[in-house]
Amino acid sequence: MEAQDDLFEELLDAFENDDIEQLERHFGGDENPVPESRSSFDKPEVFKAINEAEYLRLADGLLESTIREAFGQSRGGKPFRESRQALQWLMYDSPLDEGYPFSYRNCCKAAGVDPDELREQLIMMKHRLT
């Protein structure tokens, strides 16, 4: 897991610093190039502005659906394979998360839930089910 964390940090640094050579080394170089991929770093993508109510709805929905996914439940209640990625999102903590509006901690805050308390409850629930 430590090697995976190191790779994640390395790739995050490459994205933040627009280190295209590092990203190409990891993702296979120009074997399958995306047209104008180099110029896309120069132009920020424009997103439609959302209001606070829309953000709260999205953050709450993301939190709920990720919990369902981590425990192997769909919105309709049908069981499916548990998602390791969803569980990692729920358990991952980083000081950098404060800057991301859809991080676990910010989604919890938007939903009016204490992130640490929810995480403890989810861990206990996961242990009971396994």
Side-chain angles (χ1 to χ4, degrees), residues 37-115:
S37 62
R38 291 184 187 273
S39 64
S40 67
F41 283 103
D42 299 333
K43 298 181 257 177
E45 192 171 339
V46 178
F47 294 100
K48 175 187 152 229
I50 62 173
N51 62 36
E52 185 178 356
E54 290 171 324
Y55 165 72
L56 294 174
R57 184 181 53 76
L58 286 170
D60 188 52
L62 176 61
L63 184 61
E64 179 185 346
S65 64
T66 305
I67 291 170
R68 287 182 186 278
E69 192 175 324
F71 283 85
Q73 293 290 315
S74 69
R75 280 191 165 262
K78 295 178 183 174
F80 62 88
R81 196 160 137 192
E82 298 171 358
S83 168
R84 184 180 196 129
Q85 285 180 324
L87 194 57
Q88 285 176 336
W89 183 79
L90 293 167
M91 299 300 147
Y92 184 76
D93 246 337
S94 169
L96 297 174
D97 283 352
E98 292 297 319
Y100 298 106
F102 294 104
S103 68
Y104 167 75
R105 288 199 168 274
N106 286 332
C107 286
C108 284
K109 290 174 186 175
V113 176
D114 179 88

Side-chain angles (χ1 to χ4, degrees), residues 5-55:
D5 289 345
D6 291 343
L7 177 60
F8 177 77
E9 290 297 322
E10 183 179 307
L11 290 174
L12 184 61
D13 287 341
F15 277 113
E16 289 175 346
N17 297 316
D18 292 340
D19 186 351
I20 294 171
E21 288 81 22
Q22 173 65 18
L23 295 171
E24 286 177 345
R25 279 194 300 275
H26 178 73
F27 292 109
D30 288 330
E31 296 167 3
N32 206 0
V34 176
E36 300 177 9
S37 62
R38 291 184 187 273
S39 64
S40 67
F41 283 103
D42 299 333
K43 298 181 257 177
E45 192 171 339
V46 178
F47 294 100
K48 175 187 152 229
I50 62 173
N51 62 36
E52 185 178 356
E54 290 171 324
Y55 165 72

